[in-house]
Each structure stands twice: as C-alpha cells, then as structure tokens.
Amino acid sequence: MGAVSTTFMAGVELVRKGKAQPVGSLTQLGTIRLGKRTDNNSPRIKELVPLAELDDLVFGGWDVFKDNAYEAASHAGVLSKEDLAKVKPFLSKIKPMKAAFDKEYVKKLEGTYVKKAKNKYELALKIKEDIANFRKTSRATRLVTCWCASTEVFIKPEDVHSTPEKFIEGMKKNHPAIAPSMLYAWASVTSGVPFANGAPNLTVDIPAMQKLALDHNVAVCGKDFKTGQTLIKTVLAPAFKARMLGLDGWYSTNILGNRDGEVLDDPGSFKTKEESKLGALEYILQPQLYPQLYGKIHHKVRINYYPPRGDNKEGWDNIDIFGWLNYKMQIKVDFLCRDSILAAPIVLDLVLFLDLAQRAGFRGIQEWLSFYFKSPMTGPELYPEHDLFIQSMKLKNTLRWMMGKELITHLGQEYYD
C-alpha cells in the first residue's frame, strides 16, 4: 500500500469517476496499426484485444503498516490533497492484509503489521489463504498479483531455487536465500494467479518459480518497473548504436526522498537496484560486436536518499560520446520526474495484459511485456531485449498475432512494387 500502489488505485478510481485521464497507459490510450499505412486502420489497443474494463477492477494488498490506502496515500505525498479528497471514501475502504516481512531483507524498514509463523513455508501458506479469502470476499473471478513493494537486499541464485521441491524444503528450513517476495510469488503462482515483479529483487526469475508457472499454467513477468532514468537510457542508447556513435562513459545519479529512497540507502538493497540499472547498456550496445565503439565504457550509477525531494525523483545523466574521427561530444539529461506517477500506469497495463495473457492460455515468462521492465525476464539461454522500440514492436506484434492479424515488419517495400 505504498506510493506506487496507492497512486495506481487512486488514479484508476479518478479515471472511472471521469475526473482524470489515464496518461501513460498503453492499454487505455495506445493505438495499434493494422494492415498497410494506406489503410488508415489504427484502433485503440483496448478495441483490438479483449481487455478487462476499469470498472471490473477491485483492489487488495498487503503492507507492513496498518494504514488504509487513503492514509498510506496521504503519507506518500504523491497526489494532491484535492485529488485524494475525491477518492477518500473509496481508498479508506481498502485495508491491507498483514505482510510477510523480514527486516533482514529490507533493513531500513520497521514492519509493525506482520504475520507470525514458525517458518517461511507457513508464511507462504498464510499468503495463499489471503489470496483465497480475497477472491471470495471481493467476488473477483480472476486475480493478478503485482509486486510494488520495496527493493530487497541482493541475493544470488542458489541450489534452493533450482526446483519446486527444493524451494519448499528451503522454505520449511527458513533458508536465507528465500526472500519475502518469493513467498508472495510462490503463493500466487501455486494459486493460479499471474505474477508481475515490479522491483529488482530475485523473485519469480528463478527456475523453481518458472517451473511452477508452467505446471500451473500461470503467466509471469518482471522485473523492476522501467520508469525514469532507465526509460531515457533505453531510448538514447539505441540511437547511439543505430548511428554508430561511440560511448566513453555514462554517469547516472538519482536523488529521491520517498520510502524507496530510504530503503535504497541500505547498501544491500542498493546493490540489487544497481545490478538492474546497469544491465541495459551492455545488452543494447553489444560491446562484443562493436569493441571499438563500446568496449571500454565507464558506466556508473548512484542513488542518493534526499528526504526533501519526496517522490519527485531527479535523475541526472552525464554522457560522454564520440563521433567521426573520434571527436568528443557530451549529452546532459536532467529528468525531474515523479516516480509513482510514471509507475502507476505501468501497474495498470501489466495487470490488464497479464490477465489477457492468462485468458489466452499463455504461461510462463511473458517476454512481450519486457517493454515495462529494467531487467526483462527471458527464457534460458536468451539475452534480454532492452531497446525500447524493439520492445514496443514485440508487444504490439504479440497482440496482432494473438488476434490473428498480420504482423507489421516495417519493410515498406509493398508500397513501391
């Protein structure tokens, strides 16, 4: 029930009441071209594929604090008092379930509204009970879980993550490599509920969880919402490579003052986020193919907790590039963004697209949703695609293919035959 979740829920309700526009949401505002350019056929995405309607959505969740969604949103300080007042009755009714929380994984938080159990397996079973109870009390026919909680400490894959059986045994023995987010993922997937991971944690991207997703016919995707600085990075880096411009260095720093910033002030949680933010450039630029252009990049990422900034994160980038005859150039980007305002429509799109995927019979990793993530999940032996424009094409072609429409290749030769 933190900043992202409450901004998402409040925003959906404001849109439903006709008091706001769903800016940033592909499912609500995006169009998709069908056929040739000369056909002038570009319906809304939601007119092509059978997405759930906003009026069909109901909300529930967990938190380490007892605040209802209105109180949590007020504390987060993202939305104005005027906007929150318009949805206060709605948000006040959304009360969190007790969280499965362990301070070892998020050292900067003091959870006060937490579940008790003798081991992690029992905690996971309690989350499954929550899911079953929510399905019953909300009268929802279909569910989707989206992790919008804090970044956990850095964990490397271990043998306990390799199979469902070893994972269950690890939960029973309170294995330290099993983080709380994994308990939510296990509970969701084994309940037949699609799961999206919006943080950089090792969560659903482990062999045990992916096997369970296939066994239970569940769609999963992740990880780490691509909102501010990395969004810009996945736009600019493809431009450099497309024009064969070289890159000497890319220095990225962030300042933010919300709970996310506080959590990332811990070195363990920062390490998890750093790995996620560092990955995109290497995959986009492919230094192994272009060593003279990208073989010696100095890539630095810093995140600084600065309370006065609140949720209004500032992402500052200094980019040192070189062009013809190795002459040096620089680009500076200062993105004064609003973290949760950028993340909320991503949550909406992921919920609706995952529900669509589930109904379409898709299971396992949904790579076509890479568009929304800093560290997109892929199948074994596949490198992730980070180029935002290729990701966009993959997403829209998947929707065309799903509906039996002709794929768009952008070849364009048919216009000149």
Side-chain angles (χ1 to χ4, degrees):
M1 298 288 177
V4 172
S5 299
T6 55
T7 304
F8 157 60
M9 293 186 288
V12 169
E13 181 66 0
L14 285 166
V15 171
R16 291 194 292 209
K17 291 166 74 75
K19 297 182 182 298
Q21 292 294 319
V23 177
S25 170
L26 202 62
T27 59
Q28 303 307 301
L29 298 181
T31 62
I32 182 166
R33 191 186 112 203
L34 301 177
K36 295 181 178 181
R37 280 178 275 168
T38 48
D39 292 341
N40 294 318
N41 186 14
S42 295
R44 291 276 180 94
I45 286 173
K46 62 181 181 179
E47 295 168 355
L48 173 69
V49 293
L51 297 174
E53 298 289 341
L54 294 190
D55 287 338
D56 295 332
L57 296 181
V58 290
F59 305 97
W62 299 264
D63 207 317
V64 299
F65 303 111
K66 199 174 182 178
D67 294 349
N68 64 42
Y70 174 76
E71 294 165 336
S74 300
H75 178 73
V78 178
L79 300 177
S80 69
K81 291 180 180 179
E82 292 77 15
D83 278 335
L84 283 179
K86 297 171 188 173
V87 291
K88 182 177 180 179
F90 167 76
L91 290 178
S92 297
K93 293 176 183 177
I94 302 173
K95 299 175 181 179
M97 297 170 275
K98 285 185 177 180
F101 176 75
D102 189 332
K103 189 174 170 61
E104 286 301 307
Y105 300 90
V106 188
K107 297 185 185 298
K108 292 286 184 175
L109 287 188
E110 295 285 349
T112 56
Y113 195 61
V114 299
K115 298 182 187 299
K116 302 292 184 185
K118 69 178 183 181
N119 58 39
K120 295 178 180 181
Y121 182 61
E122 283 198 3
L123 278 176
L125 291 178
K126 288 187 175 185
I127 298 170
K128 284 196 73 165
E129 287 179 21
D130 288 341
I131 292 171
N133 289 335
F134 177 77
R135 188 192 298 269
K136 185 177 179 180
T137 57
S138 69
R139 296 165 59 199
T141 54
R142 305 188 303 274
L143 304 180
V144 176
T145 304
C146 189
W147 177 269
C148 301
S150 299
T151 299
E152 296 170 329
V153 296
F154 184 69
I155 295 175
K156 289 185 176 180
E158 296 189 21
D159 187 54
V160 71
H161 304 133
S162 61
T163 68
E165 295 75 20
K166 289 181 179 180
F167 188 80
I168 289 176
E169 192 63 28
M171 287 193 289
K172 291 178 178 178
K173 293 181 178 179
N174 287 325
H175 196 291
I178 296 179
S181 63
M182 297 178 185
L183 306 183
Y184 289 93
W186 181 86
S188 297
V189 170
T190 58
S191 299
V193 178
F195 188 94
N197 179 18
N201 322 318
L202 188 71
T203 299
V204 76
D205 49 330
I206 56 175
M209 218 67 74
Q210 291 167 25
K211 175 70 163 58
L212 286 169
L214 295 176
D215 292 346
H216 291 268
N217 297 311
V218 171
V220 297
C221 62
K223 60 185 183 177
D224 202 4
F225 298 141
K226 180 158 61 178
T227 51
Q229 191 172 58
T230 306
L231 174 66
I232 300 302
K233 200 167 277 188
T234 59
V235 171
L236 291 177
F240 300 153
K241 189 174 83 169
R243 293 293 296 269
M244 289 289 104
L245 295 171
L247 181 65
D248 283 325
W250 198 313
Y251 182 87
S252 299
T253 191
N254 298 260
I255 56 173
L256 70 163
N258 59 11
R259 189 180 297 167
D260 195 28
E262 184 179 7
V263 167
L264 294 173
D265 210 28
D266 170 63
S269 293
F270 171 71
K271 173 67 174 173
T272 307
K273 177 67 78 170
E274 182 184 37
E275 291 286 320
S276 177
K277 289 172 78 74
L278 282 172
L281 278 190
E282 183 174 347
Y283 284 113
I284 291 173
L285 297 175
Q286 299 175 292
Q288 73 279 12
L289 297 181
Y290 308 102
Q292 70 275 42
L293 297 178
Y294 312 117
K296 295 180 179 180
I297 301 172
H298 296 275
H299 188 196
K300 298 287 185 184
V301 172
R302 293 289 178 265
I303 300 174
N304 300 288
Y305 178 48
Y306 182 59
R309 191 51 58 95
D311 198 67
N312 296 344
K313 180 171 68 174
E314 181 168 0
W316 183 84
D317 289 85
N318 175 79
I319 311 162
D320 289 284
I321 65 173
F322 58 91
W324 186 245
L325 309 180
N326 282 3
Y327 276 74
K328 309 293 185 183
M329 294 175 278
Q330 284 190 348
I331 297 173
K332 313 260 188 210
V333 179
D334 191 10
F335 190 6
L336 297 161
C337 58
R338 294 174 180 262
D339 209 32
S340 299
I341 294 298
L342 292 166
I346 291 179
V347 180
L348 175 60
D349 284 359
L350 287 172
V351 165
L352 297 183
F353 278 143
L354 270 183
D355 175 59
L356 175 71
Q358 189 74 12
R359 284 184 284 130
F362 293 4
R363 60 181 188 149
I365 296 168
Q366 304 300 301
E367 192 185 337
W368 62 285
L369 296 176
S370 296
F371 179 76
Y372 295 104
F373 297 108
K374 289 188 185 77
S375 300
M377 288 170 57
T378 65
E381 311 303 322
L382 286 177
Y383 66 82
E385 183 55 69
H386 281 271
D387 184 318
L388 186 75
F389 304 102
I390 295 176
Q391 291 174 335
S392 175
M393 188 186 301
K394 183 191 292 280
L395 188 154
K396 289 190 174 183
N397 267 339
T398 300
L399 298 178
R400 293 182 184 104
W401 172 77
M402 188 186 292
M403 302 307 293
K405 304 296 184 181
E406 185 179 353
L407 304 188
I408 302 292
T409 65
H410 297 288
L411 179 65
Q413 195 59 41
E414 66 272 18
Y415 301 108
Y416 302 95
D417 290 339

